[in-house]
Amino acid sequence: EKGLNIEHNYSQEDAIEEYLKTPATTTSKAIYHKSCVCGVKGTDTFESGKILGEVKNLAMSSTEIIYGDTYSVNCDNNENVTIEYKYSWTIDEDYSTEKPTRAGTYVARVTTTETETHTSASKTINFEIKPKKLENIHKELVYNSFEHREVLLDDIESGLLLRLQFTSKNVGAELIDAKVSQVVGENGLEDICSNYELVLEGQNACTFEIVPKELEMN
């Protein structure tokens, strides 16, 4: 009480911000100062709370993932781990446990479960699934006066269709520089060209030849 010469007794262990000395780390609990019943902070300390959890050595199984590849998210935490994914440009509410397969840029989030001794922890890693390159495709096309042509690529992937748009209607029997309009899979528009990249230059380029029609005079 006020006016009485009574010494402080620093026996209280209140784990509140006012008495915090050292926050918790991944190797130790938080340390607090003991206090007197009147609220005065002492010099003696005590530990309280949990050690901070962490996700250790988070990495992708491959530094380059191509559409169609299998891949995994790896870390040293083997148990009680949840892995979620989202497009890199979407909000956190869009995280899902469904593993991406289409070409694009993504974020993987790994979260550990809280235990009796450790808090929960979360860590993210960015990765990209790159389009699959279609190389060394050589086709002969019979000219029939249409600007557009569809080429089946069964030798590359079953059910894959390449839609070309010619630069001119009046082409001769020569290699032409065709533009890729779409690459479509067996599921239709869901597999449009973002998953594939057609190589049109260099030694692995895909080429298309227009074969002239033979006309016979009667």
Side-chain angles (χ1 to χ4, degrees):
E1 293 180 6
K2 287 185 177 181
L4 296 179
N5 254 338
I6 301 175
E7 292 185 359
H8 292 290
N9 179 10
Y10 300 106
S11 59
Q12 301 296 310
E13 294 186 354
D14 293 325
I16 59 176
E17 184 68 25
E18 181 180 353
Y19 302 131
L20 179 64
K21 179 181 180 181
T22 306
T25 68
T26 56
T27 57
S28 63
K29 299 178 181 180
I31 299 176
Y32 296 86
H33 288 280
K34 292 184 178 182
S35 60
C36 179
V37 67
C38 70
V40 176
K41 181 171 65 178
T43 57
D44 292 339
T45 59
F46 67 98
E47 288 184 335
S48 183
K50 297 182 177 183
I51 296 174
L52 293 184
E54 63 176 329
V55 178
K56 299 179 181 179
N57 298 324
L58 179 62
M60 300 299 299
S61 58
S62 173
T63 56
E64 184 174 66
I65 305 169
I66 306 299
Y67 171 69
D69 287 350
T70 58
Y71 66 90
S72 61
V73 179
N74 303 326
C75 64
D76 288 351
N77 308 73
N78 297 322
E79 298 180 356
N80 300 321
V81 168
T82 301
I83 303 176
E84 301 168 291
Y85 307 88
K86 74 177 186 72
Y87 281 108
S88 59
W89 41 268
T90 57
I91 59 177
D92 286 352
E93 283 72 12
D94 290 334
Y95 271 113
S96 168
T97 55
E98 183 177 355
K99 193 174 184 180
T101 57
R102 294 177 55 79
T105 56
Y106 300 92
V107 180
R109 180 173 67 182
V110 176
T111 304
T112 63
T113 303
E114 186 170 358
T115 68
E116 293 183 359
T117 57
H118 291 74
T119 64
S120 175
S122 184
K123 195 172 185 179
T124 61
I125 185 172
N126 296 322
F127 69 100
E128 179 182 5
I129 300 177
K130 295 183 178 180
K132 182 177 182 179
K133 291 185 178 181
L134 301 180
E135 301 178 313
N136 291 317
I137 300 174
H138 304 286
K139 297 287 183 180
E140 287 187 352
L141 306 176
V142 178
Y143 179 61
N144 63 355
S145 77
F146 289 103
E147 283 188 354
H148 295 82
R149 173 74 67 171
E150 294 184 345
V151 180
L152 289 174
L153 303 179
D154 290 333
D155 52 333
I156 303 296
E157 182 175 330
S158 178
L160 193 63
L161 187 69
L162 176 65
R163 291 179 181 171
L164 302 179
Q165 180 177 347
F166 300 145
T167 56
S168 173
K169 285 186 178 182
N170 300 314
V171 293
E174 59 184 15
L175 295 179
I176 65 166
D177 183 17
K179 298 189 298 183
V180 179
S181 176
Q182 294 173 337
V183 179
V184 184
E186 57 186 3
N187 294 326
L189 298 181
E190 294 179 1
D191 294 326
I192 276 182
C193 52
S194 63
N195 286 332
Y196 298 94
E197 177 184 347
L198 193 69
V199 177
L200 293 175
E201 296 181 356
Q203 62 180 1
N204 294 326
C206 306
T207 57
F208 303 88
E209 182 179 0
I210 298 296
V211 181
K213 182 176 182 180
E214 295 183 2
L215 299 179
E216 297 180 357
M217 298 293 291
N218 292 326

